[in-house]
């Protein structure tokens, strides 16, 4: 009985703090959004975009630390499905400038070749076309179209790969934003 | 008995046990002798072999249809489960922090909400209270204001101007204002001669969002798509033989 009464009191106290704070926060957010809205112009058509593609080797051996050059995607690397790996090694990173309906190819030192094109999009999302070859650079592994919010990360995981003493799986993290 | 093979007196069960190598000693010798002497028993034994072969082939075919990535996923899930169990049984289970955390369980959500609301209030109040002369500082906390105020501010205050290559001309007009602010803060010095690493720091921090797949063709290979709610991964099957590319490190 006593713990329940204590919990009720605590909940009541917290609620009395929460309600005014939330109300003030909501009013302020609406006010800020209203001021910000006129300044924010979003192009409904995506004509140009820039993408960065990171090729990463994920290994099940390692100390679990995320290297500095992959710190920006730490949130993904410590979460499913990449939390199964113990180390990550950046194999290469490429910047790809995209124009609407024009394919841009980029090659990685692993031998894989990637082709990206901007198919369009709406206010929020970019629609992209992706081709990726086998490590021989010739045989196609996949052809796909996908949409993703500006700056969203899309992952493509390939086969086993060995780089120096490290063996693991190679994956590509693709981030695109309209320009 | 109807279970007997022909007139041999040997039952199918006994024969099956012998076939599986489970009959022993004198019994095994006796059965072997009977099988040698009786063509009906030999025929029955041969049929058992055919059935086993068929079953094995069927299972192998079914197993081959499951992509390697799927097996790995299953093992990874087992690994994770073991890790979780190990963590649950760890020495920290009875620590002060875990006891406090357990005690707070009923009020965790209200506490988190109160903390979030307090943080929002603090930010809003600090923005509202900021002096007009500190507009640059206020703009940093107000992404919406940056879009209209950043360019003139950059002209008036050279020390706050964006780094070369990331100025207002290069900044994407359609990017969220907050993202543009991040661009201005990041140095951009592309070095195309770097070893396979393009300088690609001119994009803001990536967002945790799912992708929408419109169409996918695996070109003769197998693959699958996994969505966790915040991340989309396309898994591809590639030849298993690892290729050494030491130069790429």
């Amino acid at each position: 009985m006593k713990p329940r009464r204590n919990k009720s009191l605590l909940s009541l106290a917290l609620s009395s703090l929460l309600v005014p704070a939330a109300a003030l926060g909501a009013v302020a957010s609406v006010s800020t959004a209203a001021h910000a809205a006129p300044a924010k112009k979003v192009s409904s058509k995506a004509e140009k975009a820039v993408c960065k593609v990171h090729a990463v080797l994920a290994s099940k051996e390692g100390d679990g630390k995320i290297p500095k050059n992959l710190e920006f995607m730490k949130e993904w690397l410590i979460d499913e499905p990449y939390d199964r790996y113990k180390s990550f090694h950046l194999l290469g990173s490429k910047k790809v400038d995209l124009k609407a309906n024009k394919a841009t190819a980029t090659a990685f030192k692993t031998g894989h070749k990637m082709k990206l094109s901007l198919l369009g999009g709406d206010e929020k999302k970019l629609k992209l076309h992706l081709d990726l070859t086998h490590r021989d650079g010739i045989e196609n592994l996949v052809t796909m179209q996908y949409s993703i919010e500006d700056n969203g990360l899309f992952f493509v995981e390939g086969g086993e790969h060995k780089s120096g003493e490290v063996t693991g799986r190679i994956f590509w993290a693709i981030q695109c934003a309209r320009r | 008995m109807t279970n007997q093979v022909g007139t041999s007196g040997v039952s199918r069960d006994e024969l099956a046990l012998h076939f599986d190598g489970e009959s022993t000693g004198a019994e095994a010798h006796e059965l072997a002798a009977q099988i040698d002497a009786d063509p009906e028993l030999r025929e029955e034994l041969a049929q058992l072999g055919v059935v086993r072969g068929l079953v094995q082939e069927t299972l192998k075919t079914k197993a081959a249809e499951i992509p390697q990535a799927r097996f790995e996923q299953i093992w990874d899930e087992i690994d994770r489960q073991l890790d979780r169990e190990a963590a649950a049984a760890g020495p920290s289970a009875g620590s002060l922090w875990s006891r406090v955390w357990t005690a707070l369980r009923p009020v965790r959500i209200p506490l988190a909400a109160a903390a979030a609301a307090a943080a929002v209030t603090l930010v809003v109040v600090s923005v509202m209270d900021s002096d007009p002369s500190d507009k640059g500082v206020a703009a940093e906390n107000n992404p919406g204001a940056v879009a209209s105020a950043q360019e003139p501010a950059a002209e008036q205050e050279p020390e706050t101007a964006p780094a070369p290559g990331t100025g207002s001309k290069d900044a994407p007009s359609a990017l969220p204002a907050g993202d543009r602010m991040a661009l201005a803060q990041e140095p951009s010095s592309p070095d195309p001669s770097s070893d396979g690493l393009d300088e690609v720091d001119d994009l803001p921090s990536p967002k945790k969002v799912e992708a929408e797949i419109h169409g996918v063709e695996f070109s003769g290979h197998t693959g699958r798509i996994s969505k966790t709610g915040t991340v989309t991964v396309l898994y591809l099957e590639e030849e298993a033989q690892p290729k050494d590319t030491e130069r790429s490190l």
Side-chain angles (χ1 to χ4, degrees):
Chain A
M1 277 294 162
K2 204 174 176 185
R4 182 173 288 182
R5 195 181 305 155
N6 284 342
K7 279 178 199 168
S8 302
L9 280 172
L10 189 52
S11 296
L12 190 66
L14 285 171
S15 303
S16 62
L17 276 173
L18 173 65
V19 171
L24 181 59
V27 169
S29 303
V30 169
S31 155
T32 308
H35 280 93
K40 193 176 180 181
K41 276 187 182 175
V42 179
S43 163
S44 60
K45 273 189 178 180
E47 298 289 343
K48 281 183 183 176
V50 65
C51 301
K52 57 180 180 181
V53 184
H54 288 85
V56 179
L57 181 63
S59 170
K60 291 192 176 176
E61 304 293 324
D63 57 8
K65 286 181 186 166
I66 309 289
K68 208 178 170 203
N69 52 14
L70 294 174
E71 192 75 28
F72 75 97
M73 60 164 100
K74 185 180 178 181
E75 267 187 83
W76 285 263
L77 301 183
I78 59 171
D79 203 356
E80 281 191 62
Y82 292 108
D83 59 346
R84 60 186 162 157
Y85 295 109
K86 297 280 186 277
S87 68
F88 300 92
H89 310 267
L90 181 63
L91 296 177
S93 54
K94 296 284 177 179
K95 182 180 175 184
V96 185
D97 288 304
L98 300 181
K99 284 180 184 171
N101 297 311
K102 196 177 171 189
T104 308
T106 187
F108 293 89
K109 286 196 170 181
T110 55
H112 298 88
K113 285 180 183 165
M114 184 180 282
K115 223 186 274 178
L116 278 165
S117 23
L118 177 63
L119 300 179
D122 55 24
E123 288 84 353
K124 272 184 91 176
K125 288 185 174 180
L126 295 172
K127 189 173 181 185
L128 299 151
H129 178 100
L130 164 75
D131 285 299
L132 181 70
T133 71
H134 190 271
R135 70 192 76 204
D136 64 7
I138 300 164
E139 192 187 351
N140 204 43
L141 274 179
V142 71
T143 296
M144 71 178 301
Q145 291 89 40
Y146 69 97
S147 292
I148 195 162
E149 276 184 39
D150 275 46
N151 291 310
L153 264 191
F154 178 64
F155 291 86
V156 178
E157 189 168 317
E160 269 199 25
H161 189 80
K162 191 180 175 197
S163 184
E165 293 301 309
V166 185
T167 304
R169 276 201 175 254
I170 186 170
F171 72 81
W172 294 266
I174 306 169
Q175 180 188 359
C176 297
R178 76 190 66 208
R179 288 275 143 127
Chain B
M1 267 202 214
T2 53
N3 196 23
Q4 279 184 352
V5 181
T7 56
S8 63
V10 177
S11 72
R12 286 196 168 81
D13 292 342
E14 285 173 316
L15 199 62
L17 284 174
H18 181 72
F19 178 77
D20 292 334
E22 290 178 22
S23 57
T24 53
E27 190 190 358
H29 284 295
E30 197 182 324
L31 262 172
Q34 280 183 288
I35 290 164
D36 284 342
D38 189 340
E40 252 185 305
L41 286 175
R42 283 204 299 275
E43 175 68 19
E44 188 72 18
L45 204 62
Q47 280 178 6
L48 283 174
V50 170
V51 170
R52 181 159 74 178
L54 279 173
V55 170
Q56 280 178 342
E57 280 309 308
T58 310
L59 291 175
K60 276 183 194 170
T61 310
K62 282 189 177 172
E65 285 169 4
I66 302 171
Q68 187 62 24
R70 178 73 189 133
F71 281 120
E72 286 200 4
Q73 198 184 21
I74 292 166
W75 281 116
D76 289 337
E77 185 49 44
I78 293 167
D79 280 348
R80 268 197 288 269
Q81 182 65 30
L82 289 173
D83 287 347
R84 274 197 291 267
E85 283 172 10
S92 63
S95 68
L96 178 65
W97 168 244
S98 67
R99 274 181 277 150
V100 170
W101 184 242
T102 309
L104 285 174
R105 180 174 287 173
V107 290
R108 272 182 210 165
I109 293 173
L111 265 178
V120 168
T121 310
L122 196 65
V123 168
V124 168
V125 168
S126 65
V127 169
M128 284 174 166
D129 287 353
S130 61
D131 191 282
S133 62
D134 293 338
K135 204 154 188 173
V137 178
E140 282 182 9
N141 291 327
N142 184 359
V146 174
S148 55
Q150 193 178 31
E151 277 186 70
E155 284 169 19
Q156 287 159 12
E157 298 173 14
E159 68 274 13
T160 60
T166 58
S168 56
K169 279 182 185 173
D170 293 330
S173 61
L175 280 178
D179 294 346
R180 263 180 277 160
M181 192 163 65
L183 278 174
Q185 288 167 349
E186 284 178 359
S188 174
S189 51
D191 178 15
S193 64
S194 61
D195 187 23
L197 303 176
D198 284 357
E199 277 296 331
V200 283
D201 287 344
D202 57 347
L203 282 182
S205 298
K207 283 185 200 168
K208 255 191 158 178
V209 287
E210 258 194 3
E212 187 184 339
I213 310 296
H214 301 295
V216 59
E217 202 179 298
F218 290 112
S219 311
H221 295 263
T222 54
R224 65 188 174 85
I225 294 161
S226 154
K227 290 185 173 190
T228 66
T230 51
V231 61
T232 307
V233 183
L234 172 72
Y235 292 94
L236 300 172
E237 282 304 316
E238 222 179 339
E239 64 182 13
Q241 188 65 36
K243 180 183 171 186
D244 194 338
T245 57
E246 198 167 354
R247 64 202 169 100
S248 66
L249 265 188

